[in-house]
Amino acid sequence: MTKRALGVCYYPEHWPEDQWAADAVRMAETGLTWVRIGEFAWSRLEPRPGDLRFDWLDRAIDTLGGAGLKVVLGTPTATPPRWMLDKHPDMLAVDAQGHPRKFGSRRHYCFSHPGYLEECRRIVTLLAERYGANPHVQAWQTDNEYGCHDTTLSFSKAARAAFRDWCARRYQSVDALNRAWGNVFWSMEYDSFDQLDLPNLTVTEPNPAHVLAFRRFSSDQVVRFNRAQAEILRAHTDAPLIHNYMGRVLDFDHFDVGADLDIASWDSYPIGFLSDRLEASPDHKARFLRQGDPDCQAFHHDLYRAVGRGRLWVMEQQPGPVNWAPFNPAPLPGMARLWAWEAFAHGAEAVCYFRWRQAPFAQEQQHAGLLRPDSEAAPALAEAAQVARGLRDLPDTAPAPAPIALIFDYASAWAWTAQPQGADFDYFHLVFAAYRAARRSGLNIDILPAETADLSKYAVVLAPGLMTISDTLKAALAGFDGQALIGPRSGLKTPEMSIAVPLGPALPGLDCTVSLVESLPPGTQVALETGEHFVHWFEHLEGGAEVALHTNDGRPAIMRRDGLHYMAGWPDDASFALRVHTLCRRAGLVPLDPPGDLRIRDTASHRFVFNYGPEPVDYDGATIPAAGVHWSAL
Ligand code: GAL
C-alpha cells in the first residue's frame, strides 16, 4: 500500500520571515503534508564566495517542520549566483550557434565544466552535512529540471574536451571511431581524438553518427552531474533522493539518471503543455484549452513511474494560469483537483502544487499559486483542500497490474532528431500517438525501457520507433505469447546510427524486411484496406510472413507471425486506436472504451474515471461532471 499526500513548493527567501509561521500553519490547515524549499536559494545561502548564511534556512526548516510539515530540500545548483561567473568565467553553457548563455535567469551552467561541478559538490556537501540528519528534512531534490530551457546540450570548450575523453573511452581507438561513424564518407576521418569537435556549425548537416554520439555523451554528462550530488547526499542521509523531470523533455536518458535516485518526480503543467508542447489540431486545442490534453499527464505518470522503478511524485502541479506558454488560460474549476487524483491513481505518492503564493516580482509574477500575491486564496486552494479531505477517505491504494506495455527509448528520440528523414517525424509524437490509442481502451498501461527482458506480465506490447531492438528485447519478444506490435521505423539501425545489414527489423521468427522507407508530407497519406490511413511515414515490406493488413492498393501494411506484428506506417489516430483494439481482443482483453472524453485508471482496489470534457458524461450509473473525478471500489 502506498500512502498518498499533498504538498506545495515554497520560497521562504521570497517573503518576510515574520510571514513564515502563518504560512506554515495555513499549509497544514489546508491539509498539505510536504513542502519543497531551497532549490533556487544559492545567492542567499552564500551571498559571497565562502560567506555562508544557513541560519535563515535553519529557521525556515524549523518553522515549517514545527507546523508538522515534511520538508523536501532542494540543492540550489540550477541557479549559480552572479559571483560564480567571476570565479569561473567559462562555466556558461554555449548554444549551438556558439553563443554563451548569459547570467540573468537560471540554468546557465555547462554540465561539463569541472570547476562548476566542484562548486556544486561543495555546496551540496555543506547542505548534506548540516541537514542530512535533520528530522524535518524527509526528502531531497537534486538541482531543478535538468534540461529545462534547452540546457542539456552545450557546445562549450569544456564540453568539447569532455566529449573527446568520452569518445576515447567508448571507441578505444580513433580508427574504431572512424569505422563506427563511417567517416570515410566525405573524407571526415580523424587521426586523433584531439581533432574531434562538437557537431555544430558544420557547413551542411553533420554526420548523424557524430550527432548521436554527442547526444549520448550529453546525456551521460547529466547522469554524472546528478550522481555527484546523489553520492554526497547518500553519505549523509537516508531520506529519499528525487529529481523533478519535465514534460516532453527527452534530451537525456531519464532511466539512467533515475538509477541513482529513489523516486522520479515530474512537473505537470497540463494547460501550458497543450498550448506549447503538443501536436494537436486547433479543435483539440480549443476543446481542452482549460483542461490540458487528456492523455499527456497519464503518459508522463506512466513514464516516470518506470523511471522511478515504481516510485512516482508530481513535484510541481499547475494550480492556475502559468506565465510561460504563448497563451495562458485559467483551468476549468475542478481541474486542480482532477490532475491530483489522476496522479494518485497512476501511483503518485505525493502531488505538490507549484507554488504556495504567487510572487509579485520577477519572471514568474504572472504565474498563479495557491494564494494570490496579496495572500488571499486563489481558486486552487479550495481544490487542494478538497483533495486533502478526500485523501482521508482514500489515503492509500496499491497499484493494479497493467495488461498493456509501451516501450520507450531516449536514444531513439535522439536518433530521429539527428535524422528525421521526414520533417515532421518526431519520436515523442509517434510514441504518444501509440499511448493515446492504447488509452482509448480504458486499460492500464505500463511504460518500459528498451532493455526490458521480461514481458510475461503483459498481454499487449507496443514498440514504435525503436532505432535498434536490443538482443535483450528480441529474446523477450521471442518468448512472448501475447500480442506485440512493433514499428514503424523499429529495428532498422545499428546502435552507431548506420542502416542495419541484413536489413531490419530482424524480429525473431518473423520473415519480414523493410526494403525501402518513405516519409509523407502533411496532407498526403497511404490508404489502408480498412478505410483508415498511414500518415508521416510508410515502409515497403518484403518477406514470406502472413500479411495481417494491406494498404488499399494491396501492399503489406502489417505482417505477422502468431502474435508478433510489424507495422509499416504511422497510423492516423483512428487507425492506431483500431489496431490496438484489435490486438487487445486477440489477446483476450476486454477494452472498456469509455465514452466522450472520459479516461480510466484502475488501482488494485478502485476504478477512477476522469472527465476531461467540458460537459457532464453518464458512465456506469454515475453522472461525471465536467472536470470531474469519480471513483468506485472494484
Ligand atoms: C518549472 C520550474 C519552476 C517554475 C515552473 C513555472 O519548469 O521547475 O521553477 O519555473 O516551471 O511553471
Side-chain angles (χ1 to χ4, degrees):
M1 296 295 246
T2 310
K3 283 271 176 226
R4 317 281 175 210
L6 282 183
V8 73
C9 305
Y10 185 55
Y11 299 91
E13 68 276 21
H14 292 181
W15 312 108
E17 190 164 337
D18 60 12
Q19 212 168 340
W20 296 351
D23 279 343
V25 168
R26 201 166 171 194
M27 288 174 198
E29 281 171 0
T30 306
L32 307 180
T33 303
W34 288 97
V35 56
R36 183 197 63 176
I37 62 171
E39 82 277 12
F40 299 131
W42 201 335
S43 73
R44 291 299 172 98
L45 294 171
E46 192 178 17
R48 275 158 298 280
D51 176 7
L52 299 170
R53 307 282 178 90
F54 287 10
D55 51 316
W56 69 266
L57 186 56
D58 297 348
R59 294 194 299 277
I61 291 173
D62 278 354
T63 304
L64 295 163
L69 297 158
K70 299 197 260 188
V71 172
V72 183
L73 186 55
T75 67
T77 51
T79 50
R82 180 61 186 81
W83 55 256
M84 191 72 74
L85 256 181
D86 297 331
K87 236 177 136 182
H88 304 283
D90 56 350
M91 62 161 284
L92 295 170
V94 173
D95 75 12
Q97 297 312 309
H99 301 133
R101 316 282 299 261
K102 285 187 179 175
F103 181 83
S105 65
R106 61 179 171 183
R107 297 214 58 77
H108 39 285
Y109 68 86
C110 173
F111 280 101
S112 296
H113 191 271
Y116 185 60
L117 182 60
E118 262 330 294
E119 298 281 359
C120 293
R121 285 204 177 97
R122 184 178 59 79
I123 193 77
V124 173
T125 303
L126 290 166
L127 284 165
E129 286 170 352
R130 194 171 184 104
Y131 302 110
N134 186 308
H136 300 312
V137 178
Q138 298 215 16
W140 290 76
Q141 176 184 298
T142 54
D143 200 277
N144 188 78
E145 290 193 342
Y146 293 133
C148 185
H149 317 306
D150 282 331
T151 50
T152 301
L153 304 185
S154 170
F155 298 85
S156 67
K157 286 197 174 128
R160 189 178 65 188
F163 180 60
R164 288 173 177 168
D165 290 347
W166 183 92
C167 286
R169 283 196 305 277
R170 180 178 174 94
Y171 298 100
Q172 301 288 314
S173 79
V174 80
D175 288 346
L177 178 146
N178 285 327
R179 271 195 308 279
W181 294 5
N183 282 340
V184 61
F185 195 77
W186 288 351
S187 281
M188 294 183 295
E189 286 162 305
Y190 299 98
D191 301 323
S192 98
F193 287 110
D194 293 338
Q195 296 168 332
L196 273 181
D197 210 330
L198 301 178
N200 63 324
L201 298 173
T202 49
V203 173
T204 183
E205 62 172 314
N207 185 342
H210 186 179
V211 177
L212 184 63
F214 177 60
R215 302 299 300 257
R216 290 190 201 279
F217 153 79
S218 300
S219 176
D220 286 355
Q221 295 302 90
V222 180
V223 174
R224 171 176 155 272
F225 185 89
N226 182 70
R227 183 173 297 153
Q229 300 202 9
E231 282 172 355
I232 293 164
L233 293 170
R234 292 260 182 243
H236 294 91
T237 180
D238 296 327
L241 309 185
I242 313 178
H243 180 72
N244 58 331
Y245 304 105
M246 299 179 71
R248 200 182 181 161
V249 166
L250 312 184
D251 291 342
F252 60 92
D253 192 318
H254 293 49
F255 290 108
D256 289 350
V257 170
D260 290 320
L261 301 173
D262 302 299
I263 298 174
S265 78
W266 75 289
D267 297 345
S268 172
Y269 292 95
I271 295 179
F273 292 159
L274 179 64
S275 152
D276 190 41
R277 246 171 250 181
L278 293 182
E279 296 84 359
S281 68
D283 284 353
H284 184 90
K285 292 205 175 191
R287 180 159 180 81
F288 299 108
L289 182 76
R290 297 177 182 283
Q291 306 96 299
D293 181 273
D295 300 305
C296 181
Q297 289 64 252
F299 175 88
H300 289 92
H301 297 323
D302 289 339
L303 173 62
Y304 292 129
R305 195 176 61 252
V307 167
R309 298 177 307 286
R311 295 198 67 184
L312 169 74
W313 282 31
V314 173
M315 192 62 90
E316 300 180 12
Q317 177 64 67
Q318 177 167 1
V322 300
N323 62 301
W324 45 263
F327 299 96
N328 296 295
L332 282 187
M335 288 313 294
R337 170 175 176 263
L338 182 152
W339 293 324
W341 278 114
E342 193 174 33
F344 291 132
H346 281 80
E349 298 169 29
V351 175
C352 303
Y353 290 95
F354 181 92
R355 49 186 279 153
W356 176 241
R357 184 186 295 100
Q358 182 172 352
F361 45 78
Q363 279 93 329
E364 293 180 353
Q365 53 187 272
Q366 294 303 132
H367 195 299
L370 294 182
L371 303 186
R372 305 188 319 204
D374 63 1
S375 297
E376 292 297 315
L381 187 75
E383 293 189 28
Q386 203 187 351
V387 177
R389 286 193 298 276
L391 285 173
R392 280 183 220 144
D393 300 330
L394 204 63
D396 46 29
T397 42
I404 304 179
L406 173 66
I407 310 281
F408 191 85
D409 176 43
Y410 286 92
S412 297
W414 310 331
W416 306 145
T417 312
Q419 191 183 66
Q421 179 68 4
D424 57 3
F425 194 99
D426 177 89
Y427 179 72
F428 180 90
H429 188 186
L430 173 63
V431 174
F432 189 48
Y435 182 87
R436 260 180 214 282
R439 198 157 185 252
R440 292 303 308 160
S441 70
L443 302 171
N444 281 6
I445 304 165
D446 276 350
I447 293 182
L448 307 176
E451 285 297 322
T452 295
D454 180 11
L455 297 170
S456 59
K457 287 193 307 199
Y458 301 98
V460 169
V461 172
L462 307 175
L466 282 185
M467 69 168 298
T468 58
I469 303 176
S470 65
D471 290 343
T472 314
L473 185 57
K474 279 188 186 164
L477 287 168
F480 180 55
D481 61 4
Q483 302 290 313
L485 184 64
I486 316 298
R489 211 176 187 184
S490 289
L492 308 185
K493 296 283 185 187
T494 69
E496 292 294 338
M497 200 68 204
S498 298
I499 293 175
V501 182
L503 299 179
L507 288 166
L510 185 72
D511 183 9
C512 163
T513 299
V514 173
S515 61
L516 180 145
V517 304
E518 48 174 329
S519 51
L520 308 171
T524 60
Q525 50 202 21
V526 171
L528 302 174
E529 59 183 344
T530 40
E532 317 90 50
H533 300 93
F534 283 156
V535 290
H536 304 299
W537 189 258
F538 180 60
E539 294 162 2
H540 299 209
L541 302 186
E542 291 179 354
E546 178 192 350
V547 178
L549 181 74
H550 291 91
T551 63
N552 230 358
D553 56 6
R555 291 180 288 173
I558 295 183
M559 295 179 86
R560 77 161 166 238
R561 178 191 55 82
D562 303 326
L564 183 59
H565 302 68
Y566 187 82
M567 178 161 66
W570 176 327
D572 62 17
D573 286 351
S575 183
F576 229 145
L578 185 61
R579 302 281 69 84
V580 176
H581 197 277
T582 309
L583 288 190
C584 287
R585 293 271 178 208
R586 277 177 66 100
L589 300 172
V590 183
L592 303 167
D593 295 336
D597 293 313
L598 299 187
R599 296 294 187 273
I600 292 179
R601 176 82 193 183
D602 288 346
T603 65
S605 51
H606 290 81
R607 169 154 301 161
F608 283 80
V609 185
F610 306 94
N611 185 5
Y612 265 92
E615 59 276 317
V617 181
D618 290 331
Y619 184 68
D620 214 13
T623 298
I624 306 171
V629 187
H630 175 78
W631 63 83
S632 50
L634 282 171

